[in-house]
Amino acid sequence: MLELTDVVKRFGSREALAGLTLSVEPGEAFGLLGPNGAGKTTTIRMACGLLAPDSGRVEFEGFGPPTSAEVRRVLGVAPQSLAIYDELTCAENLEFFGRLFGMSRSARRERAYAIMERVQLEGRARDKVATFSGGMKRRLNLAAALMHEPRIVFLDEPTAGVDPHSRHAILELVRELQGEGVTIVYTTHYMEEAQRVCDRVAVMDQGCLLALGTVDELIAAHGGETVVTVERGTVHERVVTAEPMGVLSEATRDTSVTSLRVERPDLEAVFLSLTGRSLRD
Amino acid sequence: MRVPLAIAIKDATLMRRDMTAFFFTVIFPLIVGILFGMIFAGPATGSGPAEAMTLGVVDLDRSEFTADLTSALDATEEIEVKAFASEAEAEDAVRRGEIPAAVVLAQGMEDSLDDVFTGAPVKVECIADPSRGAETGILQGVLTQTMFAQLFKSIAKPERLHTSLEQARESLLTTEGVNPVQRALFDQMIRSAEGLIDQQIDQTDAGTDDEGASVGGAFEFNPVDIQVRKAQRETSGAEPSSSFEITIPQAAGWALLGCVTGFGASIVRERQSGTLDRLVLAPVGRWQVLAGKALGCFLTALAVQLLLFVIGIAFLGVRPDSYPLLALAIVCSCAGFVGVMMVLAVISGTSDGAEGLTRGALIVMAMLGGAGIPLAFMPGWLRVASGASPFKWVIVALEGAVWRDASLGEMLVPCAVLLAIGVVGVAIGSSRMKWER
């Protein structure tokens, strides 16, 4: 669906992307995971054609380069900043963006209300966006990207700074989109989100792709082994193992075991293993 | 003291880094200071006739007195005389804004000097441009001063003095209802006046500067009657029917400045907030985005202009000479300022900065265009430079259509200039537009 080949982007002397190569398959939820400054947003901006690469190639299979009108019609982008008009109402915002995509008045109206319902803003359709909370604005920002029913959606940190309710609503919507076969490119620095939402994850740092694969593959390759803690009264035993099921099965047969705790490695451990730093540093 | 100092340093740093605050605190006062300085430096340094205001003179009397008066006016620092063959020609020049005022020296003016002591002042008709009150006021003052001087020079000639006093005495003798005592007293007064005039003539010859004023005060009568009237319309022959015919075009100019400020900043604001990205990501050309921005500014400016003129026409007595020409002027004004908006929108990186810079640039533009200080008070080169201010051309175009009776041919110049500003501005703005954040 989307291919980036040896893409390089520099801002002055700083190299934001250093020869990035990756491909996103149709219908998958592809995660770009990395700390701030890793190059996630630059990757998205180049994939949508908002930035031109200094070298390398960005191509949408079957559609052409990202700047072509064909790509634009199937592309939806929810940028990290809230790209909506505060002085327009919720419905006016959505209808305006629908109009840019040549939707008819009735189609715009129908779609706007449908999408507002999906992001749980139907009750605020006629309210000015300026009166919305941060979470509501974030949901509207996402709704605006979906107005024209795109086949590939770029979500750049869609849950940044939102309340748990909005976060849940956004993640549910992403899951629904996945179910509808929409290709999703999702950037985040929250590993739980990447683990929950993404089929495959690209771990990035300082403009470089460090690892790419499914969450399980990444953990298996870079996360290290599982730690099983066996408690017998006041005695704690830590077992580091690649076969936690074997340890667990043995422990359950031991009647002196009072408690068992399994610590599986996660993407945080993957990132730590790849960079020597925590994801949130 | 350490905390207040830290806060003060922080605030000063913030101010220095805030483009808008920095512009209005440092750059704008500098521009205003330099510009005003240059404006007022012109006449003060006596840079001569280049700064003199042009006064039209129609000499219908063609006498020695009117020739002397014309020469004396031309010799003043403030006035440069431009001769016109007829009153209509001079009035046309005033109406078209070529000169701020014209005086008509009527036939028989020299002869009327003989009657000044019988209470019949010398009458002079002055045709003034109603939109240039300040310049007209100054011209009127210089005209009065010069006329007084010339008048007393003229009546001081022995033969004219003799004739005038004789006529006054004859008038006294033939006037009925004056008792002998009064007649004797008036006769005595005329003789005293004769003596006083002789004395004044001596002073004038000695070269005093304030002869007109002092003599006028001593006699307590006004031998000069300058009748000022506004230039009349060619079509209806009426003066501007309402002062709003002058102020509404000015207001329209300021409304355009307001529109430009708002729209110029909105482009930058869209870039900052990311909504410009959404516009760019839609399957539309970038030219369509720019065209939308330009159209928005144009239509808003048009709506405001129409509102102003509808209010002016409906409630304030504004009666445009030509509605089609007014429509042309409005459309061209809006188009010109769309170009200005596009240029100003690409200068700054932040919306606050854009708003500040736009506002400052437009105020300077308006000042240069004659909105704050009449063009006549500017040095010659600055008057030439004012041609670069779209504000000036908006006023010329709108006034031309409203009350200056401009023909289509005369309207072409301001309208073409405004359209050119619009086209060049849009071209510069489009090519220099920053699409990326």
Side-chain angles (χ1 to χ4, degrees):
Chain A
M1 183 88 187
L2 166 65
E3 285 201 18
L4 284 86
T5 313
D6 204 18
V7 172
V8 175
K9 183 70 190 176
R10 287 185 193 85
F11 295 110
S13 60
R14 191 176 66 83
E15 198 167 49
L17 285 182
L20 182 70
T21 298
L22 56 84
S23 66
V24 178
E25 299 303 321
E28 79 169 328
F30 187 91
L32 290 170
L33 180 71
N36 293 330
K40 305 185 299 288
T41 299
T42 304
T43 305
I44 282 205
R45 289 180 71 77
M46 279 202 295
C48 331
L50 286 172
L51 276 179
D54 293 333
S55 65
R57 199 168 58 90
V58 181
E59 186 91 8
F60 284 81
E61 201 181 334
F63 293 100
T67 48
S68 71
E70 288 75 20
V71 171
R72 297 263 155 99
R73 276 194 200 92
V74 297
L75 207 69
V77 182
Q80 195 173 347
S81 59
L82 295 167
I84 42 180
Y85 298 100
D86 271 0
E87 294 309 311
L88 296 184
T89 66
C90 181
E92 283 169 346
N93 262 287
L94 293 175
E95 289 190 34
F96 169 69
F97 291 122
R99 200 168 180 183
L100 291 177
F101 285 84
M103 295 170 75
S104 69
R105 178 184 284 205
S106 58
R108 286 200 306 265
R109 179 154 293 193
E110 198 179 314
R111 178 69 181 158
Y113 277 87
I115 200 80
M116 278 189 281
E117 207 169 324
R118 289 185 78 168
V119 295
Q120 300 167 22
L121 286 174
E122 69 275 21
R124 303 293 301 269
R126 298 283 157 219
D127 292 343
K128 269 190 184 176
V129 173
T131 64
F132 283 16
S133 69
M136 291 162 79
K137 285 182 181 178
R138 189 60 72 184
R139 280 183 271 155
L140 178 60
N141 194 41
L142 173 57
L146 304 176
M147 187 60 194
H148 58 289
E149 300 187 73
R151 288 172 57 187
I152 176 163
V153 179
F154 290 90
L155 305 176
D156 192 3
E157 306 270 6
T159 60
V162 301
D163 57 284
H165 167 73
S166 291
R167 186 161 180 258
H168 176 74
I170 290 167
L171 293 176
E172 277 305 304
L173 179 59
V174 173
R175 206 177 275 240
E176 283 171 28
L177 291 171
Q178 263 181 290
E180 291 162 15
V182 175
T183 306
I184 295 164
V185 179
Y186 191 103
T187 79
T188 182
H189 59 266
Y190 298 127
M191 57 178 182
E192 312 85 14
E193 278 183 23
Q195 274 180 289
R196 183 172 161 186
V197 167
C198 301
D199 299 319
R200 285 197 305 148
V201 174
V203 182
M204 295 181 72
D205 191 36
Q206 296 179 343
C208 296
L209 178 66
L210 302 179
L212 174 65
T214 64
V215 173
D216 289 340
E217 284 169 356
L218 290 173
I219 290 169
H222 308 284
E225 293 177 328
T226 304
V227 177
V228 181
T229 307
V230 183
E231 290 180 19
R232 292 181 182 88
T234 55
V235 180
H236 294 201
E237 185 189 357
R238 276 184 97 240
V239 182
V240 180
T241 175
E243 292 294 333
M245 290 312 290
V247 177
L248 287 171
S249 134
E250 200 177 308
T252 50
R253 285 197 292 273
D254 183 347
T255 53
S256 65
V257 173
T258 53
S259 167
L260 281 170
R261 195 165 69 246
V262 181
E263 291 170 56
R264 289 198 60 195
D266 55 16
L267 289 172
E268 179 78 45
V270 172
F271 191 81
L272 188 65
S273 146
L274 289 167
T275 64
R277 295 186 288 120
S278 165
L279 194 55
R280 286 158 218 271
D281 281 353
Chain B
M1 196 59 201
R2 209 177 288 166
V3 171
L5 190 64
I7 292 171
I9 291 169
K10 181 267 294 172
D11 283 347
T13 308
L14 287 179
M15 196 276 284
R16 206 176 61 241
R17 291 183 186 167
D18 176 353
M19 276 294 286
T20 309
F22 185 73
F23 177 83
F24 277 107
T25 312
V26 181
I27 309 294
F28 188 65
L30 211 58
I31 293 172
V32 171
I34 292 170
L35 199 60
F36 270 98
M38 286 190 296
I39 288 167
F40 291 120
T45 53
S47 42
E51 280 75 39
M53 286 173 277
T54 306
L55 176 70
V57 174
V58 186
D59 186 358
L60 300 175
D61 195 36
R62 299 188 182 282
S63 60
E64 191 188 341
F65 172 71
T66 54
D68 287 349
L69 178 62
T70 306
S71 304
L73 285 169
D74 206 21
T76 60
E77 242 182 44
E78 298 88 347
I79 289 178
E80 187 182 15
V81 165
K82 185 176 180 182
F84 288 90
S86 68
E87 185 176 338
E89 203 182 301
E91 185 155 5
D92 194 43
V94 174
R95 188 171 45 241
R96 279 186 277 114
E98 289 172 10
I99 53 172
V103 286
V104 181
L105 308 178
Q107 206 168 3
M109 190 177 187
E110 188 174 47
D111 295 340
S112 70
L113 296 179
D114 297 337
D115 299 328
V116 288
F117 293 115
T118 61
V122 178
K123 287 183 180 168
V124 178
E125 188 184 25
C126 180
I127 307 161
D129 181 334
S131 70
R132 296 162 79 174
E135 291 163 73
T136 306
I138 290 174
L139 287 175
Q140 207 180 323
V142 177
L143 180 65
T144 308
Q145 190 182 13
T146 311
M147 276 203 68
F148 260 97
Q150 288 304 308
L151 187 67
F152 282 102
K153 265 187 194 167
S154 180
I155 60 176
K157 289 175 182 169
E159 62 277 18
R160 183 167 303 285
L161 189 62
H162 175 73
T163 309
S164 298
L165 292 176
E166 270 307 306
Q167 281 184 358
R169 207 167 281 129
E170 269 174 35
S171 171
L172 183 66
L173 291 171
T174 54
T175 305
E176 286 178 14
V178 181
N179 68 44
V181 178
Q182 282 177 320
R183 193 161 281 150
L185 277 172
F186 282 131
D187 187 49
Q188 184 57 44
M189 197 178 81
I190 289 169
R191 286 174 200 284
S192 301
E194 193 177 14
L196 200 56
I197 288 168
D198 286 342
Q199 211 178 347
Q200 188 60 36
I201 289 164
D202 291 344
Q203 280 180 17
T204 306
D205 290 344
T208 52
D209 286 338
D210 56 348
E211 58 252 301
S214 62
V215 171
F219 280 100
E220 290 184 353
F221 83 112
N222 191 354
V224 178
D225 180 13
I226 299 174
Q227 294 171 330
V228 180
R229 69 169 175 83
K230 294 171 189 169
Q232 295 173 347
R233 295 166 185 233
E234 200 170 26
T235 45
S236 59
E239 292 175 352
S241 52
S242 143
S243 58
F244 294 107
E245 291 192 336
I246 293 156
T247 56
I248 292 284
Q250 296 271 348
W254 284 106
L256 285 169
L257 299 186
C259 274
V260 167
T261 309
F263 275 86
S266 88
I267 292 184
V268 186
R269 203 174 295 124
E270 290 229 33
R271 185 169 56 230
Q272 264 188 301
S273 70
T275 49
L276 190 64
D277 285 349
R278 278 207 199 278
L279 302 184
V280 171
L281 285 170
V284 295
R286 289 187 178 191
W287 71 268
Q288 284 175 294
V289 176
L290 285 176
K293 285 284 165 196
L295 187 66
C297 181
F298 179 82
L299 291 177
T300 307
L302 194 66
V304 176
Q305 305 270 295
L306 289 176
L307 180 71
L308 278 169
F309 278 101
V310 165
I311 290 173
I313 290 163
F315 305 110
L316 304 174
V318 175
R319 299 285 173 266
D321 287 330
S322 162
Y323 283 93
L325 289 183
L326 178 59
L328 176 72
I330 289 175
V331 167
C332 292
S333 302
C334 295
F337 270 78
V338 166
V340 174
M341 181 275 289
M342 292 292 282
V343 171
L344 292 172
V346 297
I347 291 176
S348 183
T350 65
S351 59
D352 284 349
E355 213 162 296
L357 284 173
T358 306
R359 214 162 270 161
L362 291 174
I363 290 171
V364 171
M365 220 178 266
M367 277 168 58
L368 201 59
I373 299 157
L375 292 176
F377 297 168
M378 297 183 183
W381 69 269
L382 211 51
R383 264 186 276 173
V384 174
S386 76
S389 168
F391 192 90
K392 174 189 168 176
W393 296 107
V394 167
I395 302 302
V396 169
L398 292 176
E399 283 189 348
V402 173
W403 64 269
R404 284 195 192 273
D405 268 329
S407 65
L408 179 61
E410 288 167 332
M411 289 290 284
L412 283 181
V413 175
C415 289
V417 170
L418 286 167
L419 285 178
I421 290 171
V423 170
V424 172
V426 168
I428 293 173
S430 307
S431 62
R432 307 282 298 170
M433 179 76 182
K434 287 178 236 161
W435 294 93
E436 293 165 8
R437 266 183 289 169

